[in-house]
């Protein structure tokens, strides 16, 4: 056994967070040949599970859970579940947990994000969040009893929950403070057509509206009107779950996320950060990105594992990707459109299938595809390649995207 292999076999890698990013970090280490000990610490008592099904199959009772299909025992991955981590002391290479101190040689932070709560509603009966398996299980009987439901927030999670609630036969009112759905995620001209999807599905969308207070059986809005509500579901965003890092000296960014470098290393030695809790510099887009989506939690761990193993350094600079199923439509997004100088449409937004493409100096940098998965698949590869496009060909929805390159 070589000295390097022997040293590695003695290493202790501890992963904080048992969601997609944490589990995949542990799995990637084993897949790439790591021989040391791997421990995953999760705050929830459940077997590690995938989150996207919570707002779909689990919520509607079509699935009991969404546990990852991973044989942790066979992979030699230790799970410490139902254990909250309280802090970290990088100089000592120690974690503080409610069950005592856990030493590490290498630490991976994968604590994800936590939902933003609606002010004044903590502990109010009938007010729900949808982030965990327990949240979904509390909401399932609400849908079964077909309550009148008020959804606060017309973002991705609000739209997905409203979709499930309508499918279950509930009366749904969605309250959004901005003038349109997805105001924080998409430009006005792109998000505006999505407003009609709510009415088409039989849901009421009230924009420019805020919740004043929640009362038994009703939500009072800022204009004084009252909306019947057997339950209230809050979906007004998420923030990195990093409060426990206070006093650790690990650098946090403007959104309280862990600041990672191009190899997902933090400011502390032997500490990495991956997934929803971390931002990373993107050379492709010329800015630091904080990506709260499933694909980022899936891809980043491979970079972390390779760096821990001392392999040839790989720079983490992905094309962000996510999808959403809402109101009978499959919505996919790839890239990052903030720096685009041109917006082009493929198809009419009033129709069932259309795509928006964002270009910078005629290079495709992002696209949103509604019911056009082929556009997304081809567009993602074109973004990765930095392909130059011909705008006059790009706008023809009958022409494959790959046939519109310069």
């Amino acid at each position: 056994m070589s000295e390097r292999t022997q040293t590695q076999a003695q290493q202790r890698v501890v992963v904080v967070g048992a969601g997609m990013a944490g589990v995949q970090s542990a799995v990637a280490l084993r897949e790439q040949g790591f021989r040391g000990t791997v421990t995953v610490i999760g705050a929830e008592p459940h077997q590690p599970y995938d989150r996207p099904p919570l707002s779909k199959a689990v919520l509607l009772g079509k699935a009991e859970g969404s546990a990852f299909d991973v044989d942790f025992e066979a992979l030699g991955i230790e799970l410490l579940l139902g254990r909250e981590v309280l802090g970290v002391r990088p100089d000592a290479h120690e974690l503080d947990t409610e069950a005592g101190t856990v030493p590490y040689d290498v630490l991976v932070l994968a604590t994800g994000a936590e939902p933003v709560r609606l002010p004044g509603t903590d502990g109010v009966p009938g007010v729900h969040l949808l982030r965990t398996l327990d949240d979904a299980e509390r909401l399932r009987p609400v849908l079964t009893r077909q309550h009148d439901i008020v959804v606060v927030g017309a973002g991705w999670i609000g739209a997905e929950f409203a979709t499930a609630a309508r499918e279950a036969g509930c009366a749904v009112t969605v309250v959004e403070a901005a003038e349109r759905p997805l105001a924080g995620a998409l430009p006005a001209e792109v998000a505006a057509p999505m407003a009609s999807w709510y009415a088409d599905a039989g849901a009421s969308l009230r924009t420019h509206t805020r919740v004043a207070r929640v009362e038994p059986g009703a939500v009072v809005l800022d204009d004084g009107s009252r909306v019947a509500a057997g339950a209230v579901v809050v979906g007004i965003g998420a923030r990195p779950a990093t409060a426990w890092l206070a006093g650790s000296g690990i650098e946090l960014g403007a959104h309280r996320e862990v600041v990672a470098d191009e190899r997902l290393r933090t400011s502390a030695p032997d500490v990495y950060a991956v997934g929803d809790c971390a931002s990373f510099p993107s050379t492709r887009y010329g800015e630091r990105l904080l990506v709260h989506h499933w694909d980022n939690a899936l891809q980043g761990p491979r970079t972390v594992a390779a760096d821990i193993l001392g392999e040839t350094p790989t720079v983490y600079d992905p094309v962000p990707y996510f999808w959403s199923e809402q109101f009978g439509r499959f919505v996919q997004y790839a890239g990052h459109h903030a720096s685009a100088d041109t917006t082009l449409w493929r198809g009419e937004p009033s129709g069932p299938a259309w795509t928006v493409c964002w270009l910078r100096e005629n290079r495709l940098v992002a696209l949103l595809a509604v019911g056009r998965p082929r556009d997304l698949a081809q567009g993602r590869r074109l973004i990765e390649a930095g392909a130059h496009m011909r705008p006059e060909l790009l706008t023809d929805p009958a022409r494959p995207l790959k046939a519109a390159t310069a």
Side-chain angles (χ1 to χ4, degrees):
M1 184 183 293
S2 70
E3 182 178 340
R4 176 181 168 184
T5 302
Q6 187 175 18
T7 301
Q8 185 196 103
Q10 296 168 346
Q11 272 194 318
R12 300 162 299 183
V13 175
V14 176
V15 182
V16 182
M20 172 62 78
V23 166
Q24 286 300 316
S25 294
V27 170
L29 281 166
R30 290 299 190 222
E31 288 180 344
Q32 295 181 32
F34 181 73
R35 297 167 60 90
T37 63
V38 179
T39 301
V40 176
I41 302 177
E44 295 181 55
H46 311 290
Q47 278 291 112
Y49 61 88
D50 203 6
R51 292 190 188 278
L54 298 185
S55 61
K56 306 172 184 72
V58 175
L59 188 61
L60 289 169
K62 298 177 181 179
E64 286 305 311
S66 55
F68 291 117
D69 185 17
V70 174
D71 190 334
F72 294 99
E73 184 176 354
L75 288 172
I77 297 171
E78 179 186 22
L79 295 178
L80 300 179
L81 303 177
R83 183 177 297 193
E84 186 178 355
V85 176
L86 306 175
V88 58
R89 288 171 283 126
D91 290 345
H93 279 57
E94 290 181 340
L95 279 174
D96 294 319
T97 81
E98 58 186 1
T101 299
V102 177
Y104 68 85
D105 295 304
V106 178
L107 179 65
V108 180
L109 308 178
T111 46
E114 56 193 7
V116 175
R117 297 177 180 274
L118 186 65
T121 61
D122 281 356
V124 175
V127 177
H128 299 262
L129 299 168
L130 180 53
R131 183 72 182 181
T132 68
L133 180 60
D134 288 342
D135 292 337
E137 290 179 345
R138 280 189 290 267
L139 276 165
R140 190 153 58 181
V142 172
L143 298 192
T144 301
R145 292 194 292 268
Q146 296 186 334
H147 279 297
D148 293 340
I149 293 176
V150 171
V151 180
V152 184
W156 300 112
I157 191 66
E160 290 186 1
F161 180 80
T163 298
R166 285 299 300 137
E167 186 176 333
C170 300
V172 177
T173 300
V174 181
V175 177
E176 170 57 50
E179 72 278 7
R180 62 185 185 276
L182 296 167
L186 297 173
E189 69 272 19
V190 177
M194 299 177 175
S196 65
W197 298 357
Y198 289 77
D200 292 346
S204 172
L205 173 63
R206 299 184 64 165
T207 57
H208 289 291
T209 306
R210 295 180 182 273
V211 173
R213 62 185 182 277
V214 178
E215 298 179 348
V219 169
V220 180
L221 304 178
D222 57 359
D223 62 2
S225 61
R226 297 166 61 87
V227 181
V232 178
V233 178
V234 179
I236 55 176
R239 60 169 64 97
T242 59
W244 67 281
L245 292 172
S248 68
I250 294 174
E251 182 184 358
L252 301 182
H255 301 283
R256 307 304 294 168
E257 85 283 7
V258 181
V259 174
D261 69 6
E262 71 282 355
R263 286 153 60 185
L264 299 179
R265 299 171 301 184
T266 73
S267 62
D270 305 316
V271 181
Y272 295 79
V274 66
D276 290 8
C277 72
S279 65
F280 55 89
S282 171
T283 300
R284 186 191 311 276
Y285 292 106
E287 62 180 287
R288 179 166 287 276
L289 299 182
L290 175 60
V291 180
H292 282 187
H293 294 297
W294 185 90
D295 191 66
N296 178 50
L298 176 66
Q299 303 295 340
R302 297 169 190 167
T303 296
V304 170
D307 206 73
I308 291 172
L309 284 157
E311 297 178 359
T312 303
T314 55
V315 171
Y316 188 62
D317 195 5
V319 172
Y321 166 74
F322 70 89
W323 79 96
S324 177
E325 296 177 66
Q326 50 185 270
F327 307 117
R329 294 165 174 84
F330 187 42
V331 183
Q332 294 173 285
Y333 178 95
H336 182 64
H337 64 265
S339 64
D341 53 36
T342 304
T343 304
L344 298 174
W345 293 75
R346 290 167 57 80
E348 294 297 325
S350 58
W354 45 274
T355 297
V356 179
C357 298
W358 286 275
L359 308 180
R360 184 177 67 238
E361 298 175 351
N362 283 345
R363 290 183 188 271
L364 188 65
V365 295
L367 83 161
L368 175 83
V370 177
R372 292 180 65 95
R374 186 181 180 190
D375 275 5
L376 189 287
Q378 293 183 9
R380 194 175 181 182
R381 290 193 290 269
L382 292 169
I383 295 169
E384 288 172 347
H388 275 92
M389 310 300 295
R390 295 177 62 183
E392 72 279 8
L393 302 181
L394 192 63
T395 54
D396 179 1
R399 183 186 298 271
L401 266 176
K402 63 183 180 181
T405 56

